[in-house]
Amino acid sequence: MGSNPPVDDWATDYDIFDASYVKDPVPVWNELRDKCPIAHTERWGGSWLPTKYEDLQAFVRMVPALSSKNVLVVSQKREEMEFDPVLAEYGNSAPPITSDPPEHVPMRRMLLPLFSPKATEAHRSFTENLCHQLIDGFIDKGACDGALDYAVHIPAKTIAHVIGVDEDRSDEFVGWIRGLLEEGNTDLEKRNKYNRILRRFFGELVDARKLAPRDDLISHLLAQEINGQPVARKAVVGMCNLLLVAGIDTTWSSIGSALWHFAQHPEHRRRLANEPELFPSAIEEMLRVYAPVTMARLVTEEVQVGDVTFQPGDKVLMNFPAANHDPDAFEDADKVILDREKNRHIAFGIGPHRCAGSNLARMEMDVALRVWFERIPEFELSDPDAVTWAGGQVRGPRHLPFRF
Amino acid sequence: MRVKVNADKCEGHNRCCALAPEVFDVDDYGTATALNDGVVPPELEEKAKLAVQNCPEYAIEFVKD
Ligand code: HEM
Ligand code: SF4
């Protein structure tokens, strides 16, 4: 990341992997929104970067002109993947996030009931116990890394528990996901390596459940039918893979960003500690202000937006995080207001691909912050310069040295 | 006062149900419906308004009787 040439003109040459952008992208979005409002770059294969809330609201619905077939910023040549034996055996799609209608709908509908509000509430006590155990592990020291000792484990172990894979291997899962999404976002060799590891892991698990079904999520998915046909084995591998990939870095980032915020803003921290009825609106506000996820779309038909033309083959980045800072959609958009009443933020995306795990992610954030505040209401950064961020398509803190 | 959910727009963010569970329900597939034919008693009007203002799909509207 650090070796890219510096950016002079964000409107024509932006770089979402630029270190200063990863650290604080808000000033760039605000400048672009006033100036363009859709920026372009040739970097990383070329893409467009919208910044306005109303543009995002429109773009997610331009299906399949703006297709989900490729949601990553940096793509790979098709031929390179077709000759990979692991991917040939276990597939390389991640439905429903990589599908367009009509295939998208049945795949998505297989997952939705497993992540409904009721289904996710059933996992709350698991996550609560987990958060307490994590805090038990460091509270006597009076210090911890909020990202690595706390936030990361909550989604990693919860999603392992929900999928029915060994929770004790969660550190390994996190390593794979970081390899895939963080280093692998720009380093295709790394991406392939971790993609193969994940596909093989879920491929073998799916094959095992096919032979000997259990009462778990994988067996449940294998038993589903689409148009009267059993769902394809590769599709189930792809879905499980997606749940792990979409469930960890994202929620880790949101929990981490919220803790980072409260560590530095004593007035907000104390208010939340004293007025716990603010948790729901405060969590939505954290999701809005520090929305972690930017997914791409692949242009399949020419689209004209204002004086900009998207050409087939172009990428358009669904910059949900920037839309959440648009002053035309939010009053005092850059200000954190814990009891914000009107908050139509789009951190979980909008339209047909609305995050299928949003209920689970909200439950995890709610538990993570409530348990933290109950046990550690007063905390601060011990070394602000040691905070590090991951960025690009999923943005959040990866080191948070706290003392309390 | 009455509210109506536009099922074509609703994508199951579940914000309405979280903010006004007395007024909205969301099914297993994430589609919301207004309970009680959408009739909102005066004491729930504030909550119903919050739901409208927090639906990211602009799927809920007030309808005049
Ligand atoms: C705070 C945490 C999270 C955020 C901010 C987030 C954000 C998003 C966003 C923006 C999308 C839409 C992508 C697009 O339009 O291309 C999405 C899709 C998705 N997310 Fe999440 N996500 C989070 C947590 C989770 C969790 C915990 C799961 C695990 C179950 C999950 C599973 C999914 C799935 C399956 C999709 C694809 C839905 C579809 O394409 O129909 N996410 N997420
Ligand atoms: S908040 Fe809007 S989109 Fe979400 S479930 Fe309710 S009506 Fe549907």
Side-chain angles (χ1 to χ4, degrees):
Chain A
M1 277 195 209
S3 59
N4 319 336
V7 176
D8 280 330
D9 182 5
W10 284 88
T12 58
D13 186 34
Y14 68 81
D15 184 353
I16 61 164
F17 301 105
D18 177 89
S20 68
Y21 181 86
V22 166
K23 206 168 164 199
D24 184 11
V26 176
V28 171
W29 297 332
N30 290 349
E31 182 195 318
L32 292 176
R33 213 183 285 110
D34 288 341
K35 202 156 118 184
C36 317
I38 301 176
H40 185 261
T41 192
E42 291 296 336
R43 294 183 192 227
W44 306 109
S47 59
W48 297 94
L49 186 73
T51 51
K52 288 208 60 72
Y53 185 88
E54 63 170 338
D55 284 342
L56 268 297
Q57 282 279 356
F59 293 168
V60 291
R61 292 166 226 284
M62 293 182 186
V63 182
L66 302 185
S67 164
S68 286
K69 290 261 146 61
N70 195 336
V71 290
L72 296 178
V73 173
V74 184
S75 1
Q76 192 153 24
K77 291 206 185 66
R78 204 170 194 71
E79 314 85 74
E80 285 169 15
M81 297 190 294
E82 271 164 8
F83 293 110
D84 188 293
V86 176
L87 302 185
E89 174 68 16
Y90 296 120
N92 195 29
S93 68
I97 210 166
T98 53
S99 344
D100 290 327
E103 304 88 52
H104 173 249
V105 178
M107 298 287 186
R108 179 175 169 84
R109 286 180 68 86
M110 281 173 58
L111 290 180
L112 288 175
L114 303 171
F115 295 93
S116 69
K118 215 188 315 150
T120 35
E121 275 310 302
H123 303 298
R124 181 178 284 267
S125 62
F126 171 89
T127 307
E128 248 161 24
N129 289 336
L130 168 64
C131 291
H132 278 292
Q133 275 171 22
L134 292 169
I135 294 180
D136 289 342
F138 53 68
I139 192 161
D140 290 339
K141 285 189 242 164
C144 76
D145 186 320
L148 289 181
D149 299 332
Y150 190 65
V152 66
H153 301 294
I154 298 162
K157 289 194 193 290
T158 302
I159 195 67
H161 166 78
V162 171
I163 302 178
V165 293
D166 189 358
E167 291 142 29
D168 294 334
R169 293 184 66 181
S170 67
D171 287 345
E172 220 177 321
F173 301 150
V174 170
W176 300 345
I177 303 300
R178 295 190 73 174
L180 188 83
L181 289 181
E182 295 180 15
E183 296 162 278
N185 213 203
T186 50
D187 179 340
L188 295 179
E189 221 156 287
K190 282 258 163 63
R191 187 195 297 173
N192 284 337
K193 173 177 162 196
Y194 290 102
N195 192 26
R196 277 195 296 267
I197 293 176
L198 274 154
R199 300 278 165 174
R200 181 176 287 131
F201 173 77
F202 280 113
E204 289 173 359
L205 210 57
V206 165
D207 287 345
R209 292 295 182 277
K210 238 184 144 89
L211 285 173
R214 288 193 193 169
D215 181 15
D216 68 2
L217 182 139
I218 298 179
S219 305
H220 170 88
L221 289 177
L222 282 168
Q224 306 291 304
E225 293 189 344
I226 294 180
N227 303 326
Q229 298 291 318
V231 60
R233 154 180 167 274
K234 283 182 183 171
V236 175
V237 176
M239 271 190 253
C240 294
N241 179 65
L242 171 62
L243 292 177
L244 202 73
V245 173
I248 297 181
D249 249 39
T250 50
T251 320
W252 174 18
S253 297
S254 283
I255 296 170
S257 295
L259 289 174
W260 176 79
H261 177 87
F262 288 113
Q264 297 172 91
H265 294 274
E267 70 294 359
H268 286 161
R269 186 169 69 233
R270 287 173 197 148
R271 183 160 182 221
L272 189 58
N274 292 327
E275 300 173 54
E277 65 279 11
L278 289 182
F279 271 104
S281 62
I283 287 171
E284 295 308 314
E285 183 68 341
M286 291 295 115
L287 283 164
R288 180 184 76 83
V289 177
Y290 303 113
V293 179
T294 302
M295 283 289 142
R297 294 292 186 269
L298 179 66
V299 180
T300 62
E301 293 161 31
E302 195 176 291
V303 174
Q304 182 82 35
V305 195
D307 50 10
V308 164
T309 313
F310 302 149
Q311 298 288 355
D314 288 358
K315 292 273 177 69
V316 183
L317 308 192
M318 294 299 114
N319 195 357
F320 304 121
N324 282 347
H325 284 262
D326 184 347
D328 286 343
F330 301 92
E331 252 172 68
D332 286 323
D334 289 339
K335 209 167 137 193
V336 170
I337 302 175
L338 296 184
D339 54 359
R340 190 180 282 276
E341 279 205 346
K342 211 174 144 184
N343 191 353
R344 287 186 166 111
H345 76 79
I346 54 176
F348 291 109
I350 26 170
H353 289 277
R354 182 270 304 170
C355 176
S358 64
N359 297 308
L360 183 67
R362 283 185 161 114
M363 182 280 280
E364 290 177 20
M365 267 191 94
D366 187 66
V367 172
L369 293 178
R370 281 180 196 269
V371 173
W372 179 280
F373 269 79
E374 181 192 319
R375 309 258 326 252
I376 312 178
E378 271 304 304
F379 58 105
E380 61 186 6
L381 284 172
S382 51
D383 180 4
D385 293 335
V387 173
T388 61
W389 293 82
Q393 296 199 249
V394 182
R395 176 178 179 268
R398 295 294 175 259
H399 278 291
L400 288 172
F402 287 152
R403 68 166 163 247
F404 37 84
Chain B
M1 188 174 97
R2 286 185 58 201
V3 287
K4 201 179 101 189
V5 177
N6 183 337
D8 287 341
K9 287 189 174 172
C10 171
E11 292 289 356
H13 293 256
N14 193 38
R15 299 291 301 127
C16 53
C17 195
L19 290 162
E22 304 88 341
V23 184
F24 300 95
D25 192 20
V26 176
D27 72 12
D28 271 0
Y29 294 93
T31 308
T33 40
L35 297 166
N36 191 25
D37 280 335
V39 177
V40 182
E43 69 276 15
L44 293 175
E45 274 182 18
E46 273 307 303
K47 281 192 174 183
K49 203 171 129 205
L50 268 184
V52 172
Q53 290 179 334
N54 283 276
C55 171
E57 307 285 347
Y58 294 78
I60 317 172
E61 55 184 341
F62 292 114
V63 284
K64 294 232 164 65
D65 282 306

